Amino acid sequence: LLFLIVCSIFICGSRTVLLCFLLMVLCYVMTMFNIGRQIKYISIITALGLFTMFLIPSVANKMENLIMTIQGVDDSSGSSIDMREMQMEASLAIASQFPITGGGLDYAREVMGFGTDEWNNEYREELQGMESIIYTIIIERGLVGIVIELFMIGSILWYAFRRKVLDRIDVGMVLALGIGFIVFAVLTSPLDSWRLTMFYIGYYIYRIHQAELNKKYEQLQNKDNETF
């Protein structure tokens, strides 16, 4: 199954999917094995560099031009970088109406008609498919929602990371799934993967919690044996 997943990732030809896969594998390996500190730093810097390359328009545009020059292509014919810049500007323009609290949950769909036949917002041409969760969060959550979202996902990852010694396998899965989802959602959009991702993250967190309880139970047993 893993072999088929890897094959499908390379066959689909999506740079975003490939980047997410590589970051998830890197995160899992770094959690599972005690690799050198220098290698960890190099890996983290490389991962951040790749993510920056895809996220920041100016950097991504230069990299795209470089790749197309190597391939011998002269025109990008509708660069996705320009599209993302346009979508960000439109999202910020809409969010400026309610910058603190945002428009509310499902505002993009229920009020603006995004994803329905009633998609007639004045920024329709600029937003197009809103190919990133960032645009939705900016419009619907506002500044308060952004802080809450960051706190929530950060708390989940920090909870798992602090218990790395207890269960490296499950902690590695939580970190890999969390980071992979964040990168994919930011670069492409969740594509209805939020519930499934959180289901698996919740399952592995449950296993980590059980391992923590088992360790505490063993410590209590050992303490009782020493007393008697």
Side-chain angles (χ1 to χ4, degrees):
L1 179 60
L2 180 61
F3 174 75
L4 293 176
I5 292 174
V6 173
C7 289
S8 64
I9 288 172
F10 284 94
I11 291 173
C12 76
S14 172
R15 291 174 295 176
T16 301
V17 174
L18 180 59
L19 174 64
C20 293
F21 175 74
L22 294 177
L23 289 178
M24 291 173 71
V25 171
L26 176 63
C27 181
Y28 186 78
V29 170
M30 291 176 61
T31 305
M32 282 293 297
F33 304 102
N34 291 318
I35 59 179
R37 182 173 297 179
Q38 292 182 344
I39 298 177
K40 278 189 176 182
Y41 289 155
I42 294 174
S43 301
I44 293 173
I45 293 173
T46 303
L48 291 175
L50 290 172
F51 184 63
T52 302
M53 182 189 73
F54 279 78
L55 183 61
I56 299 178
S58 58
V59 178
N61 197 20
K62 291 179 181 179
M63 292 302 301
E64 186 175 4
N65 292 335
L66 176 62
I67 293 172
M68 297 189 70
T69 301
I70 295 173
Q71 293 176 340
V73 181
D74 296 328
D75 187 14
S76 61
S77 64
S79 171
S80 61
I81 308 304
D82 297 332
M83 178 188 67
R84 289 178 183 274
E85 288 181 341
M86 185 169 57
Q87 290 176 343
M88 176 60 76
E89 292 175 357
S91 300
L92 292 174
I94 297 173
S96 64
Q97 304 172 27
F98 23 70
I100 305 301
T101 58
L105 186 63
D106 290 334
Y107 178 88
R109 179 180 296 274
E110 295 183 0
V111 179
M112 297 168 52
F114 176 72
T116 67
D117 295 335
E118 299 177 359
W119 178 220
N120 294 318
N121 187 271
E122 60 177 311
Y123 294 101
R124 176 178 180 177
E125 294 184 1
E126 289 83 358
L127 289 172
Q128 299 184 30
M130 289 203 291
E131 283 81 3
S132 175
I133 195 175
I134 292 178
Y135 311 135
T136 305
I137 291 177
I138 289 175
I139 294 173
E140 296 184 351
R141 272 70 160 184
L143 181 60
V144 174
I146 291 174
V147 173
I148 293 175
E149 294 269 357
L150 292 175
F151 177 78
M152 181 179 67
I153 192 68
S155 299
I156 293 173
L157 298 180
W158 182 244
Y159 173 87
F161 180 77
R162 291 190 61 184
R163 288 155 178 80
K164 183 172 61 174
V165 179
L166 285 174
D167 191 344
R168 289 182 177 271
I169 295 177
D170 293 326
V171 169
M173 291 300 298
V174 171
L175 297 178
L177 286 170
I179 293 174
F181 173 80
I182 292 171
V183 175
F184 184 79
V186 168
L187 297 180
T188 301
S189 79
L191 299 178
D192 295 329
S193 62
W194 168 253
R195 290 184 177 86
L196 185 62
T197 301
M198 293 307 297
F199 170 80
Y200 282 109
I201 287 178
Y203 169 72
Y204 288 113
I205 285 180
Y206 167 77
R207 288 171 57 92
I208 295 170
H209 182 62
Q210 288 298 116
E212 187 175 20
L213 292 178
N214 292 336
K215 183 178 180 180
K216 290 181 178 179
Y217 179 72
E218 291 177 0
Q219 290 175 345
L220 289 174
Q221 276 192 325
N222 295 332
K223 187 176 180 180
D224 292 339
N225 293 334
E226 292 175 358
T227 302
F228 292 104

